[in-house]
Amino acid sequence: ATPAAPLPDGDPAAKTVAFCTLGCKTNLLESSALAEQFKALGWRVVDFDAAAALYVFNTCTVTERADAESRRLIRKAKRQNPDARVAVTGCYVQVAPGAVAGIEGVDFVIGNNFKDALPQIVAERFPNYRADLMGGPMVQVDEFEKSRELASAVASFAGIDRTRGSLKIQDGCDYKCTYCIIWKGRGPSRSLPPAEVADGVRRLVDEGFRDIALTGINIGQYLHEGLELPGLLRRLSAIDGQFRLRLTSLDPLETTDDLIDAVAESGGKIAPHFHLSTQSADDGVLKAMARRHHAADLARVCERIVATMPDAAIGSDVIVGFPTEGDAAFETTYRAVAELPMHYVHVFRYSPR
């Protein structure tokens, strides 16, 4: 096959890249880090609605709708610039690389375990690699290693706006809940070394960020050489400077008394905000979901938080329409949410995914 002719060096579109990010805050953070890597390689980042020379899709696969949305947006990008190259990464790629490679117009299929290397992989082959001339997309997807440590190159950090930053401290999940596919897309839990977490917080503070979210797929599983999340939080609370840390979603059983105390003892360095991954408050549904907690655990955690920090905010994720959830189970969850000291609830319809 004859490679496509390179764009002239003077062409302003020769090295322009646009990002489309679906799914979680971790994906958003990783896309921001990838954009910085492209800039360092001499690329100009443009809006997704622009006719870019390269489109990068960071996908989600938590529901079937997320997969369909990825396919729709890839087709939209090719309509905007039929000559553009398309690179796809994220959980949809990790779970179904063949399906992604079969989407017309995709040139690069890069798994989550190679996501941090995507800018270099694509830049070295741009613009000469074209799937229609090379016999198909370049596919680079491997199984996750069972390492317990998160590579610092993957755990990049960036500011989402002028006041709030994010730092990825953990990736993956060791649980296999029956409704969830993300453990396949993200692999086993890995944690960033505490010294690198502290360096990341200091750098964000030095750059002017005052509100810093600690993100990951399941940050309650943070574990590095015996140090768990409460111990990490105590170390971070001792860092000098005016800033506040914010925790993302927590498993109820991982919201331990020690974790609650670490937040309470932080002197305002950690926001008293707990977002619990509840999913249901009916024990039968929780068992069918392969969740580890019971309804009584959820109640105990909420009561302990309020007893320790009366002004704390508590939120929850709930799935409705799970296959084993009848009217009685739904009412059980409804009553629990109404009676527990929760300030908001994110409600999701069950997806056959």
Side-chain angles (χ1 to χ4, degrees):
T2 304
L7 293 168
D9 290 338
D11 188 330
K15 295 177 74 174
T16 54
V17 56
F19 285 83
C20 179
T21 305
L22 297 94
C24 63
K25 291 181 180 179
T26 301
N27 262 7
L28 181 65
L29 175 59
E30 291 170 345
S31 289
S32 179
L34 293 176
E36 293 302 314
Q37 291 185 51
F38 270 107
K39 289 178 184 178
L41 293 172
W43 289 66
R44 183 165 59 92
V45 178
V46 300
D47 291 338
F48 178 72
D49 290 333
L54 170 67
Y55 292 95
V56 176
F57 292 85
N58 196 356
T59 61
C60 173
T61 193
V62 70
T63 65
E64 292 174 313
R65 181 176 296 180
D67 293 351
E69 182 69 358
S70 296
R71 296 190 294 268
R72 184 187 72 80
L73 290 168
I74 290 169
R75 291 192 292 267
K76 177 182 177 181
K78 292 298 286 187
R79 288 196 300 271
Q80 290 172 176
N81 183 7
D83 295 326
R85 307 295 181 268
V86 172
V88 188
T89 187
C91 290
Y92 187 19
V93 169
Q94 193 68 34
V95 170
V100 177
I103 301 173
E104 185 176 358
V106 172
D107 301 287
F108 300 92
V109 179
I110 309 296
N112 271 337
N113 45 0
F114 293 106
K115 184 183 287 185
D116 60 313
L118 184 149
Q120 194 68 42
I121 292 171
V122 175
E124 289 176 354
R125 295 160 177 81
F126 184 89
N128 294 326
Y129 196 101
R130 273 178 48 180
D132 57 343
L133 296 179
M134 302 295 185
M138 174 187 172
V139 179
Q140 194 158 339
V141 182
D142 281 345
E143 294 291 328
F144 284 98
E145 297 180 1
K146 296 188 181 299
S147 169
R148 303 307 301 178
E149 186 166 302
L150 182 64
S152 58
V154 180
S156 303
F157 52 83
I160 293 175
D161 56 35
R162 297 305 302 170
T163 59
R164 178 173 295 181
S166 292
L167 177 63
K168 180 178 166 185
I169 66 169
Q170 183 271 347
D171 202 347
C173 185
D174 291 334
Y175 307 141
K176 298 179 181 179
C177 301
T178 58
Y179 57 81
C180 186
I181 199 170
I182 299 306
W183 61 274
K184 289 186 177 180
R186 288 283 181 169
S189 179
R190 291 97 65 205
S191 300
L192 189 66
E196 294 188 40
V197 177
D199 287 345
V201 170
R202 291 190 188 95
R203 180 170 172 180
L204 285 170
V205 173
D206 289 345
E207 291 178 358
F209 296 101
R210 295 295 174 258
D211 197 313
I212 302 168
L214 302 179
T215 70
I217 299 304
N218 186 355
I219 64 168
Q221 283 192 296
Y222 182 92
L223 177 64
H224 191 276
E225 295 182 353
L227 185 72
E228 297 181 335
L229 185 59
L232 176 69
L233 295 180
R234 290 188 171 93
R235 292 192 187 187
L236 299 180
S237 298
I239 295 175
D240 292 333
Q242 294 184 340
F243 65 92
R244 180 173 59 184
L245 301 175
R246 188 177 301 277
L247 304 177
T248 47
S249 297
L250 294 164
D251 184 289
L253 285 188
E254 288 162 356
T255 310
T256 61
D257 290 353
D258 194 25
L259 177 60
I260 295 168
D261 289 341
V263 175
E265 297 163 2
S266 69
K269 286 287 183 71
I270 306 171
H273 172 219
F274 298 83
H275 186 87
L276 304 177
S277 179
T278 301
Q279 314 310 354
S280 176
D282 178 86
D283 284 343
V285 174
L286 288 169
K287 182 177 180 180
M289 288 178 168
R291 298 292 288 166
R292 302 176 309 126
H293 69 277
H294 296 86
D297 298 315
L298 176 65
R300 185 197 63 78
V301 168
C302 291
E303 291 165 2
R304 179 64 158 76
I305 292 171
V306 172
T308 308
M309 292 168 282
D311 294 331
I314 304 174
S316 181
D317 289 333
V318 173
I319 294 173
V320 296
F322 190 79
T324 64
E325 183 186 62
D327 290 344
F330 174 87
E331 288 295 332
T332 298
T333 296
Y334 180 87
R335 287 195 303 272
V337 170
E339 294 169 2
L340 289 172
M342 290 186 179
H343 298 82
Y344 66 90
V345 180
H346 291 170
V347 183
F348 302 86
R349 289 184 299 173
Y350 172 77
S351 168
R353 156 69 73 243

